[in-house]
Amino acid sequence: MSEMHNPAHPGEVLREYLPEGMSVTDAAKSLHVTRQSLSAVLNGRAGISAGMALRLEAALGIEAGFWLRMQMAFDLWEARQRGVARGVRHIAA
């Protein structure tokens, strides 16, 4: 899997899959999560957990792995941008 340049946060993509006109409150009720937790995901302040991915799979019919792979790609890209591994030395076996 190749890395994307500046991948979208999964919450941004999730917005496209929610029915037009559906409120965050109604979507949260359907997913059995709080409005605050769904809002945090939709606004990129929180990531997609395994539990949320399973809820989205049940509600939208989109495989949980899709959401988790998207979250992983976003997290990895963000960590690279922050230089998390900068200065880490190679460990020889």
Side-chain angles (χ1 to χ4, degrees):
M1 178 166 115
S2 66
E3 264 188 74
M4 292 179 66
H5 175 71
N6 195 11
H9 186 279
E12 186 179 334
V13 175
L14 175 56
R15 284 182 176 281
E16 301 298 319
Y17 283 97
L18 295 178
E20 189 173 331
M22 179 177 245
S23 70
V24 175
T25 300
D26 288 341
K29 284 179 185 174
S30 294
L31 293 167
H32 293 260
V33 298
T34 66
R35 183 195 184 292
Q36 292 80 6
S37 66
L38 181 57
S39 178
V41 169
L42 291 171
N43 292 307
R45 295 188 315 271
I48 301 275
S49 66
M52 179 64 85
L54 288 171
R55 291 170 194 272
L56 293 172
E57 179 179 84
L60 300 173
I62 300 168
E63 173 192 319
F66 168 82
W67 299 108
L68 293 174
R69 284 188 298 274
M70 188 179 299
Q71 185 66 55
M72 185 216 39
F74 178 82
D75 291 345
L76 183 57
W77 181 84
E78 194 174 61
R80 285 189 194 281
Q81 299 309 301
R82 290 192 320 265
V84 169
R86 195 172 299 128
V88 174
R89 294 183 323 187
H90 178 75
I91 300 172

